Amino acid sequence: MPREKRYAAGRARALGLPTRGTTNRNRLRRVDRHLVEVHRSLLLKASDPLVVDLGYGATPITAVELHQRVRAVRPDARVVGLEIDQARVDAALDARVEGLDFLRGGFELAGLRPLVIRALNVLRQYDETAASEAWLTMCAGLQPDGILLEGTCDEIGRRAAWVTLASSGPVSFTLAAAVEHLDRPSSLAERLPKALIHHNVPGSPVHRLLTEMDRAWDAAAPVGTFGNRQRWAAMCASVDWPTVGRPRDGELTVRWASVAPT
Ligand SMILES: C[S@@+](CC[C@H](N)C(=O)[O-])C[C@H]1O[C@@H](n2cnc3c(N)ncnc32)[C@H](O)[C@@H]1O
């Protein structure tokens, strides 16, 4: 099917069906922290530090927080919240401040060319084909060095998972948790992004990763006497998987190719 036709199907579904706007204060702190710490130099070096929050939900709170967090690193950054639901755009307008605006738009990004797109808890409402087309459409709208952070988290942001994409496509996959509330790493499975959730079956790469994390978590049980943060760090150090970047508190990032559905 031509890309335009499938993309149109995805948008029509979003426009035609009631979409949940569930959001929460501080819900996206993990992905925001990752953005401003791991991608700090991207934010600092950009000539046009435009950040899009795609699908901010029933209230603009997470867009407001993103604006504050990004501006703490890059004071001249602009954040634009895009919503496909005009009523949600209208409801957000009072939250506008310098460097923060709200527009109606979808995966075509309302004609903007962002450095960063954060799209959390949006694509889980789409079918897998439409979600993959949405990746292509959003990546095509990025600045050349730009990134898309696309994923899912629970209602209060204790468990999250996201894919980091460049304009050329997916690069890495991150699992993040409030580890003090985590029983086992594989319980993050319920928050897998759309691209992976239907593939978490025995034998698939993502299932093997979660199994390997559980194995390393069990092996690190003695370290758990010092707390789950230390246990998570020990797990990351011993997990037999191609990881990306330096170890981070409560996060594990792996190469996308190592978990991509086969
Ligand atoms: C569950 S809320 C997520 C809110 C917020 N991002 C969060 O994580 O808390 C999903 C929102 O995405 C919006 N949405 C769905 N498809 C969209 C699209 N193609 N473009 C922009 N917004 C979209 C919906 O209208 C809804 O308000």
Side-chain angles (χ1 to χ4, degrees):
M1 190 186 295
R3 182 198 295 190
E4 291 72 16
K5 201 164 174 190
R6 281 191 271 167
Y7 166 56
R11 278 195 71 191
R13 182 173 169 201
L15 288 167
L17 293 174
T19 57
R20 282 171 292 118
T22 316
T23 190
N24 247 322
R25 184 177 295 278
N26 224 11
R27 181 188 198 192
L28 302 183
R29 61 195 177 281
R30 288 177 205 288
V31 67
D32 288 356
R33 188 182 64 179
H34 182 95
L35 169 62
V36 300
E37 293 178 3
V38 175
H39 301 288
R40 179 174 293 251
S41 66
L42 177 75
L43 291 169
L44 290 176
K45 286 183 195 156
S47 56
D48 180 14
L50 171 63
V51 178
V52 160
D53 184 12
L54 185 117
Y56 53 83
T59 80
I61 184 60
T62 62
V64 170
E65 291 167 344
L66 178 64
H67 173 253
Q68 290 165 350
R69 289 165 182 155
V70 168
R71 281 216 154 195
V73 171
R74 182 71 198 251
D76 60 340
R78 291 180 298 133
V79 173
V80 176
L82 289 184
E83 251 297 338
I84 210 150
D85 181 335
Q86 182 65 50
R88 291 176 184 160
V89 179
D90 295 341
L93 294 180
D94 284 348
R96 283 178 299 181
V97 291
E98 193 203 329
L100 175 62
D101 204 356
F102 299 93
L103 298 174
R104 183 167 186 278
F107 301 131
E108 80 297 336
L109 308 175
L112 300 173
R113 196 149 189 86
L115 176 71
V116 177
I117 305 167
R118 186 194 67 181
L120 262 284
N121 302 302
V122 176
L123 294 188
R124 280 281 289 265
Q125 301 178 46
Y126 288 79
D127 68 37
E128 209 177 330
T129 303
S132 120
E133 291 299 324
W135 272 11
L136 287 173
T137 307
M138 286 190 281
C139 286
L142 284 169
Q143 293 175 23
D145 294 337
I147 55 169
L148 161 63
L149 301 170
E150 188 280 308
T152 309
C153 69
D154 65 6
E155 286 70 13
I156 54 173
R158 285 183 176 171
R159 295 172 187 191
W162 61 85
V163 183
T164 301
L165 299 96
S167 49
S168 55
V171 174
S172 63
F173 170 60
T174 300
L175 289 161
V179 292
E180 59 275 28
H181 301 285
L182 190 69
D183 47 359
R184 289 177 75 65
S186 58
S187 61
L188 286 161
E190 66 193 43
R191 296 297 155 185
L192 288 175
K194 191 73 186 188
L196 292 176
I197 192 148
H198 304 301
H199 299 275
N200 184 30
V201 292
S204 72
V206 70
H207 190 273
R208 285 205 303 275
L209 170 63
L210 291 167
T211 305
E212 168 61 13
M213 289 172 75
D214 277 353
R215 184 208 58 75
W217 180 257
D218 290 343
V223 186
T225 54
F226 301 106
N228 271 2
R229 287 173 70 178
Q230 283 79 357
R231 188 173 177 179
W232 179 273
M235 178 204 73
C236 291
S238 77
V239 82
D240 185 16
W241 209 268
T243 56
V244 175
R246 291 208 295 242
R248 286 174 49 78
D249 209 11
E251 276 184 24
L252 180 70
T253 297
V254 302
R255 288 195 298 119
W256 171 254
S258 73
V259 289
T262 48

